[in-house]
Amino acid sequence: MGEFMMENRIILAIESSCDETAAAIIRNGSEIVSNVVASQIESHKRFGGVVPEIASRHHVEQITVVIEEALAQANMKPDDLDAVAVTEGPGLVGALLIGINAAKAFAFANNLPIVGVHHIAGHIYANALVQPMEFPLLALVVSGGHTELVYMKEHGSFEVIGETRDDAAGEAYDKVARVLGLPYPGGPRIDKLAHEGEEAVSFPRVWLEEDSYDFSFSGLKSAVINYKHNMDQRGEEICPTAVAKGFQESVVEVLTAKTLRAAREYKVKQVIAAGGVAANKGLRTSLDTVFAEENIPFFVPPLKMCTDNAAMIGAAATPMFEAGIRGNLSMNGRPGMELKSWV
Amino acid sequence: MIWLGIETANAPLSIAVIRDGKVIAEIVQNIKLTHSAGAMPAIEEVLAKAGIKPGELDAIAVSEGPGSYTGVRIGVTLAKTLAWTLKKPLVGISSLKALAANAALYDGFICPVFDARRGNVYTAVYKGCELETIIEDYHDHIDGLLVRLQALEAPILFVGADVDVFWHKIVEVLGDYAQRTPFSNDLPRASETVRLATKVELPSVDAVHHFVPQYKRIAEAEANWLKEQKEKAHE
Ligand SMILES: Nc1ncnc2c1ncn2[C@@H]1O[C@H](COP(=O)(O)OP(=O)(O)OP(=O)(O)O)[C@@H](O)[C@H]1O
Ligand SMILES: [Mg+2]
């Protein structure tokens, strides 16, 4: 059946790969018992992006507070837990190893097993917190550092069938936002502007080779920069809502079309979206519409499950734990970790 | 009273278990192994050798910096998490003072040095067996430090594995006043961290959440940002 057997499995999960210090308690891989996220966005804003050293400093300040809060909200003690899960990679190395060392110390002190989770597996498994995953499945992962189409035959099986060759979708959003003079993080702001716009500036769609599931967003980003530059030279004002709308239309059209083509070719039973950019209203609506027409169930987690959190790490860790996968006390941060199948 | 001492502030690693003022087991090493991978297994090993379970610890002492940002954070994260989940008090000890403690039989000025790259050091000056603070822990260019040391007009005992990097220059400026500990005293010992920790009043268990490393330096991005703000204010 591909489904794993469990009875009241309780996992404490910790995530610190970028700029959120997070801890959560997950029951049976599907139920959020508690979910705590300490965001650092405000501290990084003035720098226009995440500063790794500052992120690491905040993680050390917050880590025990966040874990305690997750236990308190769940009304649980370490004794109630079956395992500790933590993001092992990819991410900022200095940030990752705060969560990892806290997880190791906690696991050691309380005699619990530890499971190291891939951050993108976490983003995908955020969906398991909403409804059971049905296989074969296609996941569109669109985040600050990744843009990938991942085919899953069963739990723990990941085949990356397409990925970005340059910028990630979220990265493109953040860079275009900077061109428009919007504060960090730019994604949600562009999304908002795009919906306020009536007109759209027309920007190119980058399809690459006809049969490719890969993506490329750097050309689109350059097109926006050039457009702004040309308008500046002519002394004309750009219309931010029209630029945002045009940019978003290009991103959404390419993401939707490639996801649809892959879903057909791989004959999947379910399509899911994951990662920060999956919070995008334009993308959600577009995917919803095409997959409703196509009669393939499409799901996307609620907004706060799309950006970094520990609940998703606990969701991914549960089937790993059931499969007998264990880390040990020498676990280290793996900034460039690859998404590998565990079955 | 059983203490666990944790020292990961720079390249050397040291973990110690002390029971009633006696060292039961200690690791002191200076090999190329990242603390992120090596420190936790070392804690497990030392506790196992000492035959002590985590729950039997009464207090934890950690070298709180300054030093390598990442190194300091690993020790502090391990110490904080252990102290918090075991509900035991956590004492932070200056990593410079803990190193100077290796030379605390010397009745004069003791100068511990950590290489902070590009000619910079984390350093301090302590005096005598009681390690009285003469110059507080800080970050400086080696040249700046040597100017301050010259003004002391007395012999100074340098301690630390990183003294090598600056020794030539130190002798050039201080001449006969420059002295070094034997190499066997150059690595920090977690037992000294614990010994210093036993002299301070134990903080409450609730204070663990607020424990932070002592970097003695603001992050580079923050320094640049402050500089920009100043320049803007001038314009
Ligand atoms: N509504 C939105 N529309 C477009 N982009 C958005 C929206 N909300 C968030 N984003 C983008 O999502 C990204 C953050 O997502 P996420 O937190 O998943 O990425 P990350 O954790 O930094 O990267 P990764 O998960 O790849 O390591 C940012 O680039 C942000 O601009
Ligand atoms: Mg993420």
Side-chain angles (χ1 to χ4, degrees):
Chain A
M1 280 257 309
E3 221 27 66
F4 41 92
M5 298 296 294
M6 279 174 315
E7 37 183 284
N8 209 29
R9 195 66 81 209
I10 310 278
I11 291 189
L12 165 71
I14 298 170
E15 148 71 39
S16 71
S17 68
C18 191
D19 60 343
E20 331 272 351
T21 320
I25 291 180
I26 300 302
R27 178 181 280 125
N28 294 339
S30 58
E31 182 195 335
I32 301 173
V33 186
S34 67
N35 184 28
V36 179
V37 181
S39 174
Q40 308 176 358
I41 284 189
E42 286 307 316
S43 330
H44 295 284
K45 243 182 198 157
R46 63 187 160 131
F47 304 113
V50 177
V51 179
E53 173 59 20
I54 306 231
S56 303
R57 290 186 178 199
H58 285 306
H59 286 309
V60 191
E61 290 162 14
Q62 292 297 323
I63 191 77
T64 57
V65 179
V66 165
I67 302 172
E68 178 168 279
E69 185 63 24
L71 284 163
Q73 284 185 14
N75 199 11
M76 281 185 185
K77 293 184 297 301
D79 276 355
D80 300 319
L81 306 172
D82 292 297
V84 182
V86 65
T87 306
E88 191 174 358
L92 302 169
V93 65
L96 284 167
L97 52 83
I98 303 303
I100 290 172
N101 280 282
K104 292 196 294 185
F106 185 88
F108 172 71
N110 296 296
N111 203 12
L112 290 166
I114 183 165
V115 181
V117 177
H118 192 283
H119 182 79
I120 294 305
H123 275 304
I124 293 173
Y125 271 87
N127 281 279
L129 300 166
V130 188
Q131 78 292 312
M133 291 160 84
E134 298 261 1
F135 302 98
L137 168 158
L138 179 71
L140 170 67
V141 179
V142 272
S143 63
H146 294 80
T147 302
E148 305 181 341
L149 278 167
V150 181
Y151 173 71
M152 291 181 73
K153 212 162 58 227
E154 56 184 315
H155 274 299
S157 160
F158 305 96
E159 190 192 331
V160 178
I161 61 171
E163 64 194 328
T164 181
R165 296 187 184 166
D166 39 60
D167 292 355
E171 200 179 346
Y173 263 94
D174 294 336
K175 285 179 179 165
V176 165
R178 212 169 305 163
V179 173
L180 296 180
L182 302 170
Y184 170 87
R189 289 171 197 269
I190 295 214
D191 194 11
K192 193 157 169 281
L193 283 185
H195 281 85
E196 287 164 7
E198 308 247 312
E199 308 274 298
V201 179
S202 162
F203 291 116
R205 274 80 171 136
V206 180
W207 298 106
L208 302 170
E209 303 80 41
E210 205 181 324
D211 57 347
S212 173
Y213 289 119
D214 282 352
F215 302 95
S216 166
F217 293 108
S218 75
L220 171 60
K221 174 193 69 190
S222 305
V224 177
I225 294 173
N226 289 342
Y227 172 79
K228 164 109 176 11
H229 187 77
N230 290 340
M231 294 289 276
D232 285 352
Q233 287 213 318
R234 278 187 266 152
E236 286 176 48
E237 286 283 316
I238 60 161
C239 168
T241 54
V243 174
K245 196 177 174 68
F247 167 77
Q248 178 142 316
E249 279 176 2
S250 169
V251 174
V252 168
E253 188 179 323
V254 174
L255 289 175
T256 305
K258 294 212 177 203
T259 308
L260 176 61
R261 186 158 59 78
R264 281 178 182 155
E265 185 187 326
Y266 284 82
K267 300 192 174 54
V268 297
K269 288 213 183 107
Q270 193 180 74
V271 175
I272 61 183
V277 183
N280 186 278
K281 274 202 232 80
L283 181 62
R284 291 166 90 101
T285 313
S286 162
L287 290 169
D288 252 341
T289 314
V290 301
F291 286 110
E293 281 169 15
E294 194 70 15
N295 250 324
I296 302 176
F298 166 75
F299 298 101
V300 56
L303 295 187
K304 70 170 190 176
M305 286 296 134
C306 287
T307 46
D308 290 353
N309 63 84
M312 68 187 200
I313 301 302
T318 309
M320 293 178 78
F321 180 81
E322 298 305 324
I325 292 161
R326 302 288 182 271
N328 60 38
L329 295 183
S330 48
M331 186 190 290
N332 199 352
R334 294 169 62 192
M337 188 176 181
E338 270 181 60
L339 180 59
K340 287 229 179 82
S341 301
W342 67 69
V343 286
Chain B
M1 175 92 179
I2 305 176
W3 283 84
L4 172 69
I6 301 174
E7 162 63 67
T8 64
N10 291 278
L13 167 76
S14 181
I15 306 292
V17 173
I18 308 324
R19 183 200 276 135
D20 300 331
K22 291 193 172 58
V23 180
I24 307 296
E26 182 167 32
I27 285 182
V28 181
Q29 64 184 38
N30 191 17
I31 50 182
K32 281 222 156 41
L33 176 75
T34 69
H35 295 321
S36 180
M40 194 57 232
I43 294 173
E44 183 185 38
E45 182 187 334
V46 170
L47 284 171
K49 276 182 179 156
I52 285 166
K53 294 194 193 67
E56 293 174 292
L57 294 170
D58 294 301
I60 295 173
V62 67
S63 168
E64 65 183 9
S68 137
Y69 292 162
T70 299
V72 170
R73 275 195 288 268
I74 289 164
V76 168
T77 301
L78 291 171
K80 266 183 98 161
T81 310
L82 288 171
W84 161 69
T85 189
L86 296 169
K87 301 191 176 60
K88 298 295 149 71
L90 171 62
V91 179
I93 295 295
S94 151
S95 45
L96 286 161
K97 192 171 185 180
L99 178 59
N102 276 354
L105 295 176
Y106 178 75
D107 195 19
F109 295 119
I110 303 166
C111 181
V113 171
F114 299 138
D115 184 6
R117 306 289 136 85
R118 285 177 263 162
N120 296 309
V121 290
Y122 291 108
T123 189
V125 175
Y126 297 94
K127 186 158 182 263
C129 309
E130 291 303 315
L131 296 174
E132 179 197 341
T133 305
I134 305 298
I135 295 176
E136 282 190 19
D137 293 8
Y138 81 124
H139 176 265
D140 199 355
H141 192 272
I142 182 70
D143 295 343
L145 169 68
L146 289 172
V147 169
R148 294 183 73 175
L149 295 183
Q150 254 181 326
L152 294 174
E153 295 189 349
I156 295 160
L157 182 62
F158 288 86
V159 50
D162 292 347
V163 174
D164 278 346
V165 180
F166 306 99
W167 187 240
H168 187 76
K169 198 160 211 178
I170 292 171
V171 173
E172 213 174 84
V173 176
L174 298 179
D176 288 347
Y177 281 159
Q179 304 190 359
R180 281 197 74 167
T181 51
F183 71 84
S184 51
N185 283 331
D186 273 340
L187 298 185
R189 302 182 159 276
S191 52
E192 291 291 3
T193 314
V194 170
R195 186 176 68 87
L196 297 174
T198 59
K199 296 181 179 200
V200 304
E201 201 186 321
L202 283 182
S204 82
V205 175
D206 298 333
V208 172
H209 281 319
H210 309 291
F211 192 97
V212 288
Q214 298 301 316
Y215 300 105
K216 300 294 171 193
R217 226 185 145 194
I218 59 170
E220 200 175 335
E222 190 145 18
N224 292 341
W225 184 83
L226 288 170
K227 210 170 112 200
E228 260 173 44
Q229 301 309 302
K230 246 194 207 151
E231 282 166 9
K232 267 189 207 154
H234 268 279
E235 274 162 21

